[in-house]
Amino acid sequence: MTDTSAPTDTSAATAASAPVLDALVIGGGAAGLAGALMLARSRRDVLVLDAGAPRNAPSPGVHALLALDGIAPAELLARGREDVRRYGGRVLEDPAVAARREEDGTFTVTAASGAEHRARRLLLASGVRDELPAIDGLAERFGRDVVHCPYCHGYEVRDQAIGVIASSPMAVHSALMFRQLSADVVLLENGYEGLDAEGLALLTARGVRVEPGRVRRVLTADDAITGVELEDGRVLPRTALAVQTRLAPLPAMGEAILPGLGLALEEHPSGMGTYLVADPMTGATAVPGVWAAGNLTNPMAQVAPASAAGGMAGAQINADLVMSEARAARQAAVPAAG
């Protein structure tokens, strides 16, 4: 739902004449909203531009989140937006599509509507998207009985017949993690050629069978997975599937926003996708005035650590502004004192 607490800018001319924001947050997930909340509570003029399509939207619940375990993703974000607005922050469903640094050190961010917003500091928290193997029927079940994280959704598929689809260097690790949750786990090789002797030995020791052959499609009945069909026609009964997704930032972030700011994505050391390098403690990026948090900088972060990172980045932005303002005030006072 679009914020109606303040009018939306609709032109570059409007943005140019409007006051410069203290901070602008790109992305309204857990990290972005936590950062905006920290800034709003510090009495900063902060705006969040959000696409309104969180990564965990297909999931029925957010898990391993203390005191809120099982809360629906939409409900969690609705509460977060309300928190930000309660302290005077704004949240607009108008995703950022481009950004640039101005000569005076401020930033201009263009939204999908064409509106331009200027800010003294930026927090990049647009998250990532999951890229799944091209298997018929897999994406339709993602977030339900096709899962990717044993901590996010593993308990919900406990004691089931689980098939782990190999698609990355994390395949053996993933299969062993799900073996902790069920005695019936099969690793579906699916053409992946990265399985080595040590990994196979570990799987065998834990009773995880490796099934050769590519997966052709996911089989369902009565809105539930019943198994997978392999390319040779064999059917393997399964009631849940686990998959290692490849993670990538939203297209606008990688193709326009980061390049416009002088930043670039790098391949994550785990091989699970691309990410933006930022200070792991503060969220500071290589560009002064720009911070980042959440899955954009830590692809493995669940909701709780993503939120914590966003809150820390928001606090760091406020502290940076405080010091900048103090130095400016001191400089302005020098001539008067003389």
Side-chain angles (χ1 to χ4, degrees):
M1 182 175 66
T2 300
D3 181 12
T4 58
S5 62
T8 302
D9 295 339
T10 58
S11 68
T14 301
S17 61
V20 178
L21 297 160
D22 287 325
L24 188 146
V25 181
I26 297 178
L33 290 174
L37 178 60
M38 194 69 75
L39 287 158
R41 282 179 51 82
S42 298
R43 308 189 74 177
R44 294 296 180 183
D45 185 12
V46 59
L47 169 66
V48 179
L49 296 180
D50 185 34
R55 175 189 177 194
N56 60 3
S59 173
V62 176
H63 295 290
L65 183 59
L66 188 63
L68 291 173
D69 184 79
I71 187 172
E75 173 63 18
L76 179 67
L77 296 184
R79 293 189 188 185
R81 289 191 293 268
E82 182 56 34
D83 284 344
V84 171
R85 290 169 177 153
R86 185 184 312 126
Y87 293 101
R90 290 188 295 150
V91 183
L92 301 178
E93 278 196 12
D94 192 8
V97 295
R100 66 181 184 271
R101 186 185 179 95
E102 305 293 356
E103 291 184 1
D104 63 359
T106 63
F107 302 90
T108 298
V109 177
T110 304
S113 66
E116 288 192 339
H117 307 275
R118 292 181 64 206
R120 300 164 65 194
R121 302 292 188 270
L122 292 183
L123 173 55
L124 309 180
S126 59
V128 295
R129 66 185 189 279
D130 292 278
E131 297 177 345
L132 281 72
I135 297 173
D136 185 31
L138 190 70
E140 291 80 355
R141 308 298 308 180
F142 188 59
R144 295 187 286 170
D145 37 17
V146 171
V147 300
H148 72 291
C149 171
Y151 296 111
C152 300
H153 307 290
Y155 187 82
E156 283 61 49
V157 298
R158 67 194 183 282
D159 297 327
Q160 295 190 37
I162 302 173
V164 179
I165 300 174
S167 60
S168 81
M170 299 292 288
V172 170
H173 176 74
S174 179
L176 292 172
M177 294 292 284
F178 279 96
R179 175 61 183 83
Q180 171 66 22
L181 299 161
S182 174
D184 186 0
V185 177
V186 173
L187 180 63
L188 300 162
E189 193 176 37
N190 195 43
Y192 179 66
E193 299 178 351
L195 301 178
D196 58 20
E198 174 64 15
L200 291 172
L202 292 173
L203 293 173
T204 298
R206 288 292 284 146
V208 178
R209 186 174 87 253
V210 177
E211 189 70 37
R214 291 185 177 275
V215 179
R216 175 182 293 162
R217 63 188 177 110
V218 177
L219 304 175
T220 62
D222 298 323
D223 196 31
I225 288 178
T226 59
V228 294
E229 179 184 331
L230 304 179
E231 283 193 339
D232 62 8
R234 289 179 296 138
V235 171
L236 179 67
R238 297 285 92 183
T239 57
L241 296 172
V243 61
Q244 311 95 56
T245 63
R246 179 171 173 80
L247 303 180
L250 301 180
M253 180 59 68
E255 296 169 9
I257 295 171
L258 292 180
L261 296 172
L263 293 166
L265 298 169
E266 295 186 15
E267 191 69 23
H268 195 270
S270 68
M272 65 193 304
T274 54
Y275 78 126
L276 177 64
V277 175
D279 185 281
M281 179 63 70
T282 66
T285 72
V287 174
V290 180
W291 279 256
N295 287 149
L296 180 63
T297 65
N298 182 1
M300 293 178 283
Q302 292 179 271
V303 170
S307 176
M312 174 59 77
Q316 292 294 318
I317 291 172
N318 178 62
D320 187 59
L321 287 167
V322 165
M323 294 307 298
S324 176
E325 291 159 354
R327 285 190 291 267
R330 180 182 180 184
Q331 183 64 31
V334 169

